[in-house]
Amino acid sequence: KAGVTQTPRYLIKTRGQQVTLSCSPISGHRSVSWYQQTPGQGLQFLFEYFSETQRNKGNFPGRFSGRQFSNSRSEMNVSTLELGDSALYLCASSLDTSGQSYNEQFFGPGTRLTVL
Amino acid sequence: QKEVEQDPGPLSVPEGAIVSLNCTYSNSAFQYFMWYRQYSRKGPELLMYTYSSGNKEDGRFTAQVDKSSKYISLFIRDSQPSDSATYLCAKETSGSRLTFGEGTQLTVNP
């Protein structure tokens, strides 16, 4: 079974630009979450999508947005990039079967974004 | 105060040593606690999860949760160079949302 895939793996942008990152979850997984990882702040939750709806949101500005498609694939967008947005962006998927109390999250390899 | 606190290390030990990694947390609302391992240039992978309080063992790894002191621990016995990685503790915050510690970088020297 293929794991979570993220594209692109590396990205270099300049301040003020916008960027779109893509995540393909494990087949059959319905929940997709996004995290930002930086050396100073560690892993921080951005948002979660389930059945094309944002179900949970972290404490990030509105420049960070996302969406999920009917095949569960997800994209996140960052507009008006700032230097501080340089980070590893990780996507995680889970089966999220109703009635199951614990849903393991499987992480992709991440997209390394550098903002110059 | 961060919801999950973890000493970032780095931690360097000789091969065969017992490694102890620790985290503290501040919100007891949810019950699941996890340890993830992250190799360089890879995403985190789940090592173990525990529910509520108590111990869980898997091979050389033991996870422990002490709810009275809000302490999460991971013990690695007979550590190997292949265990060299960053170890992240996490707790369920709401639904699928996880809150992570900063991560402890571990190096096991042959």
Side-chain angles (χ1 to χ4, degrees):
Chain A
K1 202 175 199 182
V4 178
T5 57
Q6 292 187 245
T7 56
R9 291 293 312 277
Y10 301 91
L11 207 47
I12 299 175
K13 292 285 187 178
T14 55
R15 279 181 300 173
Q17 287 187 310
Q18 74 158 16
V19 67
T20 299
L21 312 181
S22 181
C23 171
S24 293
I26 292 172
S27 177
H29 283 196
R30 303 188 300 170
S31 167
V32 174
S33 298
W34 289 89
Y35 291 83
Q36 181 195 65
Q37 187 173 31
T38 57
Q41 298 296 318
L43 264 154
Q44 292 186 286
F45 175 81
L46 280 156
F47 28 65
E48 183 218 354
Y49 285 87
F50 180 82
S51 291
E52 302 179 64
T53 301
Q54 188 180 87
R55 190 164 66 171
N56 216 331
K57 188 178 187 309
N59 299 322
F60 278 82
R63 299 185 297 106
F64 292 82
S65 62
R67 59 177 175 168
Q68 187 180 34
F69 302 96
S70 57
N71 62 357
S72 293
R73 191 177 69 85
S74 178
E75 288 180 348
M76 69 162 280
N77 183 278
V78 189
S79 63
T80 319
L81 284 166
E82 300 177 0
L83 295 179
D85 297 333
S86 294
L88 181 67
Y89 289 88
L90 292 157
C91 163
S93 75
S94 68
L95 200 55
D96 206 314
T97 305
S98 63
Q100 187 174 331
S101 53
Y102 178 71
N103 289 285
E104 180 179 349
Q105 293 199 35
F106 295 82
F107 282 84
T111 294
R112 172 75 61 186
L113 172 64
T114 302
V115 182
L116 302 176
Chain B
Q1 183 191 7
K2 289 184 178 179
E3 192 172 338
V4 179
E5 301 263 13
Q6 181 176 10
D7 184 346
L11 185 61
S12 181
V13 301
E15 183 175 353
I18 296 175
V19 176
S20 172
L21 303 168
N22 304 292
C23 293
T24 57
Y25 65 93
S26 59
N27 182 347
S28 302
F30 290 83
Q31 305 289 332
Y32 285 101
F33 302 88
M34 296 125 241
W35 282 95
Y36 282 81
R37 177 175 62 194
Q38 185 175 22
Y39 290 112
S40 181
R41 302 187 185 284
K42 302 270 188 173
E45 59 174 335
L46 181 69
L47 268 177
M48 302 177 68
Y49 74 91
T50 55
Y51 174 76
S52 193
S53 224
N55 291 0
K56 187 173 185 180
E57 190 173 319
D58 184 1
R60 297 184 294 110
F61 298 87
T62 299
Q64 198 172 71
V65 177
D66 183 342
K67 290 195 79 178
S68 61
S69 58
K70 296 191 172 74
Y71 217 70
I72 314 166
S73 301
L74 178 71
F75 300 96
I76 307 174
R77 291 183 298 281
D78 187 25
S79 56
Q80 302 295 308
S82 58
D83 295 330
S84 297
T86 296
Y87 289 80
L88 299 145
C89 60
K91 66 180 288 292
E92 179 190 27
T93 301
S94 64
S96 292
R97 176 176 181 167
L98 302 179
T99 299
F100 285 85
E102 196 175 334
T104 300
Q105 188 179 337
L106 170 69
T107 301
V108 181
N109 301 298

